C-alpha cells in the first residue's frame, strides 16, 4: 500500500520549507490599510469620501481654531490682532486666558485656590481603593471614609471642630448601635443609634462645639457657598451625587423587590415620583419653593439643597439600572444562595450584588456621566456653574459677543471628565469578565 | 460632609429665623453687609470681572445703598438672580433689595407685593435691522422675521405694535440674548427686538456696528428700577433716597471729585448742605448717619458719573442720556427736593 504511488510521484519533499515573511502588502501599515480601509471598491470609495470630509472640516475649522489671540484683552482687541495679520476671522482665545481660573473656581478667593485643588487631588487618593483595589493597600479605605469630611472642610473652611464633631456623631451612633444590639433587637438598636447621632449633631455637639471653638480656634478661612462656581461647583455637586446615589440606588432597588408591602410601596413611590418629574423642577423646588416654605431669613445652604436634589434624582435612576442587573440574574443564583443557608444580607453581599452590579456597570456609568453633565442645569437657578459663568463673562463689555470659544473650552473640559469615566468603566468590565461569554 | 453641613445649616436656620423679625435696615446694619439681588450678567448693568468683582449700572445702586447704610460701598453681597428666581429671592428675604433691570409694572408693584422705589433707567423696546435692508421705520417691517426672546413682555409688546399698525411678522423664538446675537448675525431673522439698551450693547459687539441700525420707534415703556418688599417702609425710604441722592447730586453739581470739598463745611447752597449733612438732620430722619449721601457720592459717584462709567457714550455700549437726562436738560430725572 505504502508503495502504491511511489512510481507516480517523482519527488517528495522530506523537510519543511523555512517560514517566509508574509507578503509586504498584508503586514504593517500597508496591510492594515488594505484590510481596514481599502478592502474592496465600495469601502475604498467610502474611505476616500470620509477622508475628504474630515479634511474639509479641518480645513474650515483649524484656521479659526489656531488663532494668535491668546493675549487679546477684549473682543475688539482680538479683532484688531486678527486684522493686523490679515485674517478674516479667528477664535478669540484671550477670553480663556483671562477667565479660565474663573471658569474653574468661580468666585473662590484666588489665594485659596490650593484648597479645592488639594481636595480634588485627595479625591483621587480617596477613590483609589474603590477603583483600583488591586493596586493599593486596603487600609486606604479609612482615608476614603474620612475624605467627605476633609473635603467639606477644605472647600468651605471654618473651624476644624465642625467636621470633627460631624465624624463624632457617626461614632456615637455606631457605638450606641453596637452595644444596643447586644441588649435589644438589632433594628431597635439601629434606630437608637440614628436617634443618638441626630441628638449629637443637633443638641449635644453644638453645645460643646461653641465654647470649644472659642477656646481653641483652630481653623481656616471660611468661604461662602455663593463664591463657589465653575467646574469646582460642577465637580462638587457631581461627585457628591455620584457617590451617594449608588448606595441609595442599591437600597431602593432591593426595596422595590422586597416582599414587605410598605417598603416596596415607599420605594416604588419614590422612584416613580422622582423619575416622573424633570430635574429642573426639583432644582426649582430646591431654590424657589423651599425659600418660600422655610421661615424668613433662613439660610439653608443652596449648594447643599441642590446636592440633595441631584442625589435623589440620580438615585432613582440608579435604582432602576440596578434593578435591571438584578432582573438579569437567573433565579438559580437566588436559590443557590438560599440552599447554602445564607441569610438575606449575606446572599445579597456575597452572591447577588457582585453579579448584578457587574451586569449593570455600563448603565451605572452612563447614569454617572449623565448626572455630571446635568449639573450644568443649576445655571437656571442662578448658580455660576461653567454655563452660568459663560453668560456672566459675556456680560462684560470686553467679551460681549464671545460665544464659541467659551463653549469649546467648557465642552473640552467636560469631555475629559466624561471620557475618563467611560474608559474606566470599560477597564472595569474587562477586569470583571469571568467568561460567561 | 452632607450630614454635617445639613445639620449645621438647620441649626443656623433655627437661629436666623428668630433674629429675622427686626426691620430690614436693622438687619443690614447688624449683618454689616447688604444682600443685593442683581442679574447673572447683563452688559453694562451687572457683570463680574476677572477677579469676581461686580460692576455695572444696577450694581452701583446696590453699592450706593451699602455706602449710605454702612458707609462702605464694598459691603455688598451680590446675589445673582435669573428672571425666574428674582422675585422669590426678594419675597423670601434672601435679598434685601433687587436691582436687576426690572420693569416697574402695575402687577409687580401691586399683585406681587413689592415696592418699586424709583426708576434708575428709562428703557423702551426697540428694533435693530441690518442697514442693507434699507428700512428706516419699524412700520416698514411688514412680513419680516423677528428674533424675539420668549416669555418676556417684549413678546407681547411686539404683537401689540404689529397689530396696531396692521402689519404682519414671523417670530423666531430664541431663549437668550447670546443666542439672539448669533441668530441675527447668521441671518436667521431680519429684525432683532429687545430693550433699546440691550440693542445698543449687542450692536457694539458686532464686527461692523455701522452695518446695523436701531430704528427710531420705541414701542414700549420700560421703567427699570430697584425694588424692595412691601411693608417695610423705613427700608424702602433708605433705598429710594439713596437713589434720589445720586440723581440730586448730579442736578446740584456735586460729584465724586468735589464732594470732599463741598462737605467739609456748609456752603451757600442750602439744598447741597442738607444733602451732604452739613445742615439739617436728614440722615437722622432716615436712621442713617449725617454723611450718608456724601458717602454715596464719594464712593459711587453721582447719577451722571455712574451712567457715563457704565453705559454712557464713552463706553462701548455708547448710550446717549436721552430720557435719562436731568429734567433741566429735557429728560425725565426729577427727584423730589431734599428738604
Amino acid at each position: 500500500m505504502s508503495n502504491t504511488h511511489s512510481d507516480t510521484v517523482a519527488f517528495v519533499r522530506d523537510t519543511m520549507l523555512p517560514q517566509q515573511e508574509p507578503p509586504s502588502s498584508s503586514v504593517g501599515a500597508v496591510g492594515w490599510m488594505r484590510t481596514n480601509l481599502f478592502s474592496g471598491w465600495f469601502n475604498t470609495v467610502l474611505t476616500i469620501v470620509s477622508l475628504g470630509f474630515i479634511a474639509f472640516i479641518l480645513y474650515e475649522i483649524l484656521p479659526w481654531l489656531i488663532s494668535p489671540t491668546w493675549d487679546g484683552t477684549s473682543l475688539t482687541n482680538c479683532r484688531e490682532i486678527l486684522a493686523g495679520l490679515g485674517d478674516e476671522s479667528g477664535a478669540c482665545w484671550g477670553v480663556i486666558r483671562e477667565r479660565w481660573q474663573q471658569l474653574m473656581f468661580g468666585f473662590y478667593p484666588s489665594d485659596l485656590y490650593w484648597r479645592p485643588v488639594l481636595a480634588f487631588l485627595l479625591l483621587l487618593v480617596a477613590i483609589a481603593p474603590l477603583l483600583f483595589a488591586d493596586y493599593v493597600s486596603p487600609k486606604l479605605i479609612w482615608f476614603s471614609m474620612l475624605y467627605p469630611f476633609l473635603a467639606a472642610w477644605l472647600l468651605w473652611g471654618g473651624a476644624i471642630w465642625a467636621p470633627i464633631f460631624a465624624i463624632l456623631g457617626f461614632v456615637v451612633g455606631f457605638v450606641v448601635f453596637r452595644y444596643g444590639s447586644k441588649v435589644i433587637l438589632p433594628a431597635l438598636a439601629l434606630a437608637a443609634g440614628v436617634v443618638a447621632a441626630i441628638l449629637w449633631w443637633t443638641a449635644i455637639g453644638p453645645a460643646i462645639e461653641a465654647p470649644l471653638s472659642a477656646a481653641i480656634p483652630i481653623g481656616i478661612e471660611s468661604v461662602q457657598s455663593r463664591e463657589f462656581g465653575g467646574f469646582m461647583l460642577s465637580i462638587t455637586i457631581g461627585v457628591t451625587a455620584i457617590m451617594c446615589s449608588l448606595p441609595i440606588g442599591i437600597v431602593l432597588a432591593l426595596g422595590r423587590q422586597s416582599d414587605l408591602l410598605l417598603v416596596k410601596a415607599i420605594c416604588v413611590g419614590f422612584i416613580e415620583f422622582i423619575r416622573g418629574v424633570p430635574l429642573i423642577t426639583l432644582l426649582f423646588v430646591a431654590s424657589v419653593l423651599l425659600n418660600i416654605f422655610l421661615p424668613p431669613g433662613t439660610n439653608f445652604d443652596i449648594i447643599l439643597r441642590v446636592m440633595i436634589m441631584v442625589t435623589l434624582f440620580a438615585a432613582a435612576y440608579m435604582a432602576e439600572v440596578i434593578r435591571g442587573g438584578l432582573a438579569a440574574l437567573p433565579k438559580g443564583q437566588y436559590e443557590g444562595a438560599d440552599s447554602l443557608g445564607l441569610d438575606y444580607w449575606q446572599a445579597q453581599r456575597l452572591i447577588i450584588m457582585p453579579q448584578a452590579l457587574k451586569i449593570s456597570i455600563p448603565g451605572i456609568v452612563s447614569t454617572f456621566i449623565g448626572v455630571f453633565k446635568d449639573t450644568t442645569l443649576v445655571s437656571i437657578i442662578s448658580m455660576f456653574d461653567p454655563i452660568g459663568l459663560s453668560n456672566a463673562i459675556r456680560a462684560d463689555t470686553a467679551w460681549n459677543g464671545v460665544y464659541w470659544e467659551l463653549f469649546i473650552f467648557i465642552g473640552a473640559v467636560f469631555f475629559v471628565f466624561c471620557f475618563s469615566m467611560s474608559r474606566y468603566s470599560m477597564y472595569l468590565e474587562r477586569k470583571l469578565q469571568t467568561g460567561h461569554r | 460632609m452632607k450630614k454635617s453641613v445639613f445639620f449645621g445649616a438647620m441649626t443656623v436656620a433655627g437661629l436666623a429665623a428668630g433674629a429675622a423679625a427686626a426691620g430690614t435696615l436693622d438687619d443690614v446694619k447688624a449683618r454689616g453687609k447688604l444682600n443685593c439681588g442683581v442679574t447673572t450678567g447683563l452688559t453694562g448693568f451687572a457683570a463680574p470681572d476677572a477677579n469676581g468683582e461686580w460692576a455695572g449700572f444696577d450694581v452701583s445702586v446696590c453699592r450706593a445703598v451699602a455706602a449710605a447704610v454702612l458707609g462702605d460701598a464694598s459691603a455688598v453681597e451680590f446675589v445673582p438672580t435669573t428672571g425666574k428666581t428674582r422675585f422669590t429671592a426678594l419675597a423670601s428675604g434672601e435679598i434685601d433689595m433687587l436691582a436687576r433691570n426690572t420693569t416697574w409694572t402695575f402687577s409687580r408693584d401691586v399683585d406681587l407685593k413689592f415696592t418699586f422705589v424709583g426708576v434708575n433707567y428709562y428703557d423702551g423696546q426697540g428694533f435693530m435691522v441690518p442697514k442693507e435692508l434699507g428700512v428706516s421705520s419699524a412700520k416698514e417691517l411688514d412680513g419680516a422675521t423677528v428674533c424675539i426672546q420668549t416669555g418676556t413682555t417684549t413678546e407681547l409688546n411686539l404683537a401689540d405694535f404689529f397689530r396696531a399698525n396692521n402689519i404682519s411678522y414671523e417670530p423666531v423664538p430664541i431663549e437668550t440674548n447670546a443666542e439672539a446675537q448669533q441668530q441675527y448675525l447668521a441671518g436667521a431673522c431680519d429684525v432683532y427686538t429687545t430693550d433699546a439698551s440691550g440693542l445698543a450693547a449687542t450692536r457694539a459687539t458686532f464686527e461692523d456696528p455701522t452695518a446695523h441700525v436701531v430704528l427710531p420707534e420705541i414701542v414700549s415703556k420700560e421703567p427699570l428700577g430697584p425694588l424692595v418688599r412691601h411693608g417695610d417702609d423705613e427700608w424702602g425710604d433708605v433705598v429710594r433716597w439713596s437713589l434720589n441722592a445720586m440723581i440730586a447730586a448730579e442736578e446740584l453739581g456735586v460729584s465724586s471729585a468735589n464732594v470732599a470739598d463741598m462737605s467739609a463745611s456748609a456752603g451757600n447752597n442750602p439744598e447741597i448742605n442738607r444733602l451732604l449733612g452739613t445742615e439739617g438732620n436728614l440722615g437722622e430722619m432716615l436712621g442713617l448717619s449725617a454723611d450718608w449721601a456724601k458717602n454715596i457720592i464719594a464712593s459711587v459717584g453721582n447719577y451722571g458719573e455712574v451712567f457715563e462709567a457704565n453705559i454712557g457714550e464713552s463706553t462701548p455700549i455708547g448710550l446717549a442720556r436721552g430720557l435719562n437726562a436731568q429734567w433741566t436738560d429735557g429728560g425725565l430725572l426729577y427727584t423730589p427736593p431734599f428738604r
Side-chain angles (χ1 to χ4, degrees), chain A residues 32-49:
Chain A
W32 184 86
M33 291 209 297
R34 272 180 72 106
T35 46
N36 290 297
L37 298 178
F38 304 104
S39 60
W41 68 268
F42 182 69
N43 287 350
T44 306
V45 169
L46 274 186
T47 302
I48 291 171
V49 169

Side-chain angles (χ1 to χ4, degrees), chain B residues 101-153:
Chain B
N101 68 319
T102 302
T103 307
W104 186 349
T105 65
F106 181 93
S107 59
R108 284 172 181 172
D109 199 340
V110 177
D111 195 29
L112 286 181
K113 306 244 180 293
F114 294 127
T115 300
F116 282 81
V117 298
V119 176
N120 69 334
Y121 189 84
Y122 289 95
D123 214 336
Q125 186 179 341
F127 299 94
M128 177 164 64
V129 293
K131 199 171 252 172
E132 62 187 22
L133 217 59
V135 175
S136 60
S137 159
K139 289 172 186 158
E140 298 166 27
L141 289 174
D142 195 12
T145 50
V146 183
C147 276
I148 175 105
Q149 288 187 44
T150 50
T152 61
T153 48

Side-chain angles (χ1 to χ4, degrees), chain A residues 394 401-404, chain B residues 177-188 206:
Chain A
R394 261 197 306 277
V402 168
Y403 197 76
W404 295 105
Chain B
N177 185 48
E179 192 191 338
Q181 291 184 18
Q182 297 294 315
Q183 297 281 13
Y184 174 75
L185 284 179
F206 291 167

Side-chain angles (χ1 to χ4, degrees), chain A residues 75 79 88 98-99 102 107 148-149 151-152 156 162 166 170 198 201-202 206 224 226 240 244 284 287-288 291-292 295-301 304 307-308 379-382 384 388 391-392 394-397 400-401 403-404, chain B residues 1-7 9-13 16-17 20 35 40-44 46-52 54 77-82 84-85 88-89 92-94 177-179 181-182 201-202 205-207 316-317:
Chain A
L75 185 59
R79 284 180 182 146
E88 206 169 89
E98 192 185 291
R99 297 298 183 112
Q102 205 169 55
F107 301 136
F149 305 98
W156 276 274
F170 283 103
I198 290 174
W201 282 317
T202 52
Q224 298 294 313
R226 202 165 282 137
T240 312
C244 300
F284 271 124
S287 112
V288 177
N291 260 349
I292 296 173
T298 305
N299 183 22
F300 180 10
D301 193 287
L304 186 67
M307 274 179 184
I308 293 172
S379 63
I380 294 184
I381 53 164
S382 59
F384 281 123
N391 185 32
R394 261 197 306 277
D396 188 332
T397 40
N400 192 350
Y403 197 76
W404 295 105
Chain B
M1 174 168 67
K2 275 71 58 188
K3 284 215 168 93
S4 68
V5 182
F6 177 75
F7 288 110
M10 290 304 272
T11 319
V12 173
N35 290 337
T40 50
L42 180 70
T43 313
D49 71 1
N51 302 319
W54 287 84
E77 189 77 55
F78 289 101
V79 181
T81 57
T82 64
K84 298 182 179 74
T85 61
T88 34
S92 69
E94 188 184 348
N177 185 48
E179 192 191 338
Q181 291 184 18
Q182 297 294 315
T202 302
T205 69
F206 291 167
E207 254 185 295
I317 304 168

